[in-house]
Amino acid sequence: LPEQLQPILRDYQIHGYKWLKTLAKYSFGGILADDMGLGKTLQSIAYIVSELEDIRNEKQPILVVCPSSLTYNWLSEMRKFAPDLQVSIVDGNKTERQSKLKHLRNMDVIITSYPLLRQDIKYYEKQPFHTVFFDEAQAFKNPVTQTAKAVKMVQASCRFALTGTPIENSVEELWSIFYVIFPELFLGLKVFSKLTSEQIARRVRPFLLRRVKEDVLLELPRKEE
C-alpha cells in the first residue's frame, strides 16, 4: 500500500485496492461497483500510485475516461491524495487537444471524457496504456453505441470499470461492460443470453467487487449536516 495513503484508506478501501492489484497481476479486468460515496476514485488513485515506477519506466501512462462533468473532479482528487502525479486533462478545442496528445508519454495519468475519446480515438488507439479506468462505465452499457465502440479500441494491459450501477435495466448491460474490460470472460451476447442468473453470478463473482453503505457502515465517518 502506498505509504502516504496508509493513514487515509479505510479497511474496505484497502481490500478494494488489493483486489485491483490482484486482478492486474494476472491481466484480468474487473468492475469496482461500490455504492456511490464509498471511494472508488480513491481506491483507483492508490492503485495508480503503487504502479508509478512501472508507468514511468515503460512510458505508458494510465488513462482515465469519465463523463465530462467529472474530469476536473478526478484532477482535484489526484492533487489532494497524490500531488506527485503528473496529470493532464485532454480537453479544449481540437488544436489544444492535439497539442496535449503529442506529449502523452511524458505524463503519469491522462484524463479525458467519453465524448472527446470518441473524437480523438485515432490518437488513443495508437498509444498503449498501462491501465485504463472507465468511470461511470454504464456510459457504454449499450454495445452498439459509438461510445462502446470507441472504448473497445483503447489499448491497455489492464482495464477496470467503475460504476455504482453495473446493472440498471437488464443483465445484458453487464455483458456490455465486460465485453470492453474483460472480453474473455463471456462469449458472444447470444451465448450469454442463454446463461442462467446463477451461472452469470458465479462467473463474475471474482471480477466484480460491490459494497453498499450498509456493508461498511461502522467504517464510515459520522454524518455531518
Side-chain angles (χ1 to χ4, degrees):
L1 189 68
E3 200 171 301
Q4 71 265 38
L5 295 174
Q6 282 183 1
I8 299 171
L9 294 180
R10 306 182 191 283
D11 287 345
Y12 75 89
Q13 293 172 333
I14 293 173
H15 177 76
Y17 158 78
K18 290 180 177 180
W19 178 80
L20 291 170
K21 293 285 286 184
T22 301
L23 293 187
K25 180 178 179 180
Y26 297 103
S27 298
F28 294 150
I31 302 176
L32 182 57
D34 286 350
D35 216 351
M36 185 185 295
L38 293 187
K40 293 188 289 294
T41 303
L42 179 55
Q43 292 169 73
S44 304
I45 291 172
Y47 168 87
I48 293 169
V49 174
S50 75
E51 296 287 337
L52 198 52
E53 186 176 346
D54 285 347
I55 291 168
R56 291 177 175 173
N57 288 342
E58 297 168 12
K59 294 228 175 262
Q60 289 188 351
I62 283 183
L63 176 64
V64 175
V65 189
C66 59
S68 304
S69 59
L70 295 180
T71 52
Y72 283 87
N73 180 68
W74 270 91
L75 179 63
S76 173
E77 294 287 284
M78 287 182 182
R79 284 177 173 169
K80 178 179 179 181
F81 294 112
D84 294 338
L85 289 176
Q86 298 295 315
V87 186
S88 175
I89 292 183
V90 180
D91 63 359
N93 59 40
K94 187 174 182 180
T95 304
E96 291 171 333
R97 297 198 310 274
Q98 286 179 343
S99 175
K100 293 175 181 178
L101 287 166
K102 288 177 182 175
H103 302 97
L104 285 186
R105 295 168 68 85
N106 298 324
M107 306 305 296
D108 300 324
V109 183
I110 307 298
I111 304 171
T112 195
S113 65
Y114 287 106
L116 293 179
L117 178 78
R118 291 199 306 267
Q119 292 182 41
D120 300 328
I121 190 60
K122 69 176 184 178
Y123 292 95
Y124 288 105
E125 66 179 342
K126 295 174 185 174
Q127 166 66 46
F129 292 95
H130 179 286
T131 301
V132 57
F133 286 95
F134 296 111
D135 195 11
E136 301 293 343
Q138 66 273 17
F140 49 90
K141 64 184 181 182
N142 184 343
V144 301
T145 61
Q146 292 300 313
T147 296
K149 292 174 183 176
V151 295
K152 180 74 174 165
M153 296 168 73
V154 174
Q155 304 298 316
S157 301
C158 302
R159 296 160 165 261
F160 296 117
L162 311 176
T163 173
T165 52
I167 301 174
E168 290 182 308
N169 301 307
S170 71
V171 73
E172 282 74 19
E173 295 169 358
L174 193 62
W175 178 87
S176 183
I177 296 175
F178 272 114
Y179 179 64
V180 171
I181 62 166
F182 192 12
E184 297 86 357
L185 186 62
F186 294 110
L187 296 175
L189 186 54
K190 191 174 181 180
V191 176
F192 176 84
S193 64
K194 295 178 181 177
L195 297 176
T196 66
S197 297
E198 291 75 18
Q199 288 172 322
I200 294 170
R202 191 162 59 245
R203 197 174 294 188
V204 304
R205 183 166 294 159
F207 311 107
L208 190 151
L209 180 61
R210 177 168 175 79
R211 282 78 59 91
V212 296
K213 289 188 175 70
E214 288 76 12
D215 296 335
V216 295
L217 212 51
L218 295 178
E219 294 187 51
L220 299 178
R222 292 180 61 185
K223 183 177 180 181
E224 294 183 11
E225 295 186 2

